[in-house]
Amino acid sequence: MLVLPLATAPVVERARTPRAGVLIGTLVLAILTFQLNATLLSAALPAVGAQLGESMQDVARIQSVFFLSGAVFGMVFSRWSDFLGRKRSLVIVLTVLLIGTVICALAPSLPLLLLGRVLQGASNATFTISFLLLSERLNNRLFGISVGIITSVNGGLFGVDGFLGGYVTDTIGWRFLFVITLCLGLVAISCVALFVPKDEPPTQDGSMDWWGAGILSLFLVLLTSLISQASSAGWADPLTMGYLVGATVSAVAFVLVESRTRRPLIPIHALRSRQVWPLLLSTVLTLAGVFSALNFTVVMLSQNDQVGYGLTASMSALLYLTPTALVGVTAAIFSGWIAVRIGWITSLRLSSGVIALITAGLAVFAMDRWMVFGLLIVMGVFYLGLFQSSVNGVSVLNSPPEARGALPGLNGACFGIGIGTGIALVAPVVAAGTVAGFQTALWISVGLTLASFLASLILRPAA
């Protein structure tokens, strides 16, 4: 069993007091501000496109830009919190979220809505900062349990948020969804101010590596743009080639800058190790495959009147989002305890393999609505439950000691990059609105999840 670094007797003792429960509850509220902004809008995408007069391929950017922004903000704020402090970082993140939510609620056009979603993406950092904060205050056993509890928030409000998003869209309108998340954000930032302990001395002296953060952020944006452009226009497209050159140059520049920086964003030697890069690759590939299948392809298929199931937004969410999330939330609560028992990396490999099999089942039985319903419930156990707890736990335990916030931040960025990449890959074929298009999208997801399982086999624990 892996041993959590930096655990000290006073910290463990403090974690056993009732205040630990209050701390976890406060962090759950903060994380919900990100999760609900992701899940509430899934069932509302067709309505947003209809009201704003935009195509489904353009509307898909509402989700992809949110997760891309989350990838960048999550990576930057997680590492910055090593210098700035965990509590102060959470307050800044939630403030940016609130500004973005107001813009989204009032946006008269897609460009302004996308701007608001970029700012809302900052809330992705609540995950990684919370994991870091808990790892510094809980012992190994309680940390495993808390990882499961925090990860369970990935399912939202026990799956009710998926149905709520569809119901509110059908009755009041999709803009009211942002009013809900605005109220939650105000409650969360108040609780963080009141209940999260004051920042202790920073885990590192010195200053944030802003050059490295800026270059890596540019790389993430160019990489996602490259995949999106290539999937819609092909690799021979001039803009695609421009993105490819830009991504390559920024990657090389990042390595050169980090090799000469005293306090790098992440040490290059750690990034090259089998403790780091296979984990990041597994996260990207799993999120790309599973999120695009569950929250995009199946949602669009279920609401398609010509070749799909012909369901309303609320009924689609009730059948294909809510049960999956409900089961996933329940499984996640226990998944951290299971991962501690069988080993974090063993848990990651097990869940990755099963996820690949389930995704293949979705591709084969795509037109059987009840088979899809059953497969998604099983997916909830292994994806929202075991996989996400395992990958989050490993990101903290495998992070280099000289940069505690580095790997959790990069892993959090991989969540957003994976989701944005997956939607970009499947959106062009889903937009065709044909049976072949939906099935092709699901087979793309199969390839991604299988590659993730292979990456998990390469992963090794930190010494």
Side-chain angles (χ1 to χ4, degrees):
M1 183 173 63
L2 295 174
V3 178
L4 183 64
L6 303 184
T8 62
V11 169
V12 171
E13 193 63 35
R14 199 164 51 237
R16 290 173 178 167
T17 67
R19 190 169 180 81
V22 176
L23 174 61
I24 293 173
T26 297
L27 296 178
V28 165
L29 277 177
I31 289 170
L32 272 175
T33 62
F34 170 78
Q35 191 57 40
L36 292 187
N37 274 302
T39 56
L40 281 179
L41 211 59
S42 293
L45 292 180
V48 175
Q51 185 174 354
L52 297 181
E54 302 285 350
S55 68
M56 282 313 304
Q57 188 166 349
D58 288 334
V59 169
R61 292 160 58 201
I62 294 173
Q63 291 293 72
S64 60
V65 76
F66 172 76
F67 289 108
L68 174 58
S69 167
V72 173
F73 276 118
M75 177 268 299
V76 171
F77 275 109
S78 296
R79 184 68 174 106
W80 196 18
S81 70
D82 283 342
F83 305 94
L84 190 65
R86 312 301 185 200
K87 179 175 182 175
R88 188 180 303 175
S89 299
L90 280 175
V91 171
I92 295 174
V93 163
L94 292 172
T95 300
V96 175
L97 162 77
L98 293 174
I99 295 171
T101 304
V102 172
I103 293 175
C104 287
L106 302 176
S109 62
L110 183 60
L112 279 177
L113 182 58
L114 292 176
L115 172 62
R117 293 294 278 173
V118 167
L119 296 178
Q120 282 188 319
S123 56
N124 182 38
T126 57
F127 271 103
T128 51
I129 294 174
S130 295
F131 287 127
L132 288 166
L133 197 156
L134 291 170
S135 73
E136 294 162 358
R137 294 181 174 273
L138 304 183
N139 61 28
N140 211 26
R141 181 182 64 85
L142 291 177
F143 173 67
I145 295 173
S146 69
V147 167
I149 294 173
I150 294 295
T151 302
S152 70
V153 183
N154 277 341
L157 299 174
F158 290 90
V160 176
D161 49 321
F163 172 73
L164 177 63
Y167 179 78
V168 170
T169 300
D170 289 338
T171 54
I172 304 176
W174 57 269
R175 291 184 187 276
F176 192 76
L177 297 175
F178 294 112
V179 177
I180 295 173
T181 55
L182 178 64
C183 294
L184 177 64
L186 291 171
V187 173
I189 197 171
S190 300
C191 290
V192 168
L194 290 173
F195 302 122
V196 173
K198 292 182 179 180
D199 291 318
E200 297 178 353
T203 60
Q204 276 200 345
D205 57 1
S207 59
M208 173 73 172
D209 174 24
W210 289 110
W211 278 106
I215 296 173
L216 184 57
S217 298
L218 177 62
F219 169 74
L220 295 176
V221 172
L222 291 172
L223 177 63
T224 303
S225 300
L226 166 65
I227 296 171
S228 177
Q229 184 68 18
S231 64
S232 60
W235 287 96
D237 178 72
L239 187 55
T240 301
M241 297 305 298
Y243 285 136
L244 176 60
V245 172
T248 303
V249 171
S250 59
V252 173
F254 177 74
V255 173
L256 293 176
V257 169
E258 295 303 275
S259 299
R260 302 177 181 181
T261 302
R262 182 170 175 267
R263 296 292 186 191
L265 196 71
I266 182 171
I268 296 300
H269 70 83
L271 195 59
R272 289 197 301 258
S273 71
R274 292 174 64 183
Q275 289 80 35
V276 174
W277 72 262
L279 176 70
L280 301 178
L281 184 60
S282 181
T283 301
V284 168
L285 293 171
T286 296
L287 269 294
V290 178
F291 191 93
S292 62
L294 269 62
N295 292 72
F296 191 77
T297 304
V298 171
V299 168
M300 296 303 170
L301 174 63
S302 65
Q303 296 184 38
N304 187 289
D305 293 326
Q306 281 71 44
V307 300
Y309 312 153
L311 302 177
T312 63
S314 56
M315 185 56 67
S316 169
L318 183 63
L319 287 178
Y320 299 108
L321 295 178
T322 302
T324 303
L326 177 60
V327 173
V329 168
T330 305
I333 294 174
F334 303 99
S335 59
W337 178 84
I338 294 173
V340 170
R341 290 285 181 175
I342 68 176
W344 289 95
I345 293 181
T346 300
S347 177
L348 177 62
R349 291 171 178 165
L350 172 64
S351 55
S352 295
V354 175
I355 285 170
L357 293 175
I358 297 171
T359 310
L362 289 174
V364 172
F365 300 104
M367 304 315 297
D368 187 333
R369 66 178 66 189
W370 294 113
M371 183 64 74
V372 170
F373 173 81
L375 287 170
L376 290 185
I377 290 179
V378 181
M379 182 72 86
V381 175
F382 288 93
Y383 167 61
L384 294 175
L386 198 58
F387 174 82
Q388 294 202 14
S389 289
S390 301
V391 79
N392 286 324
V394 174
S395 73
V396 173
L397 298 172
N398 272 22
S399 193
E402 65 269 33
R404 291 294 315 282
L407 186 53
L410 289 175
N411 188 63
C414 288
F415 272 72
I417 289 296
I419 291 171
T421 299
I423 293 177
L425 289 173
V426 305
V429 291
V430 169
T434 63
V435 173
F438 288 118
Q439 289 180 324
T440 300
L442 289 171
W443 280 113
I444 291 173
S445 296
V446 173
L448 293 167
T449 55
L450 180 59
S452 171
F453 172 65
L454 297 177
S456 72
L457 298 179
I458 304 173
L459 180 65
R460 291 291 180 269

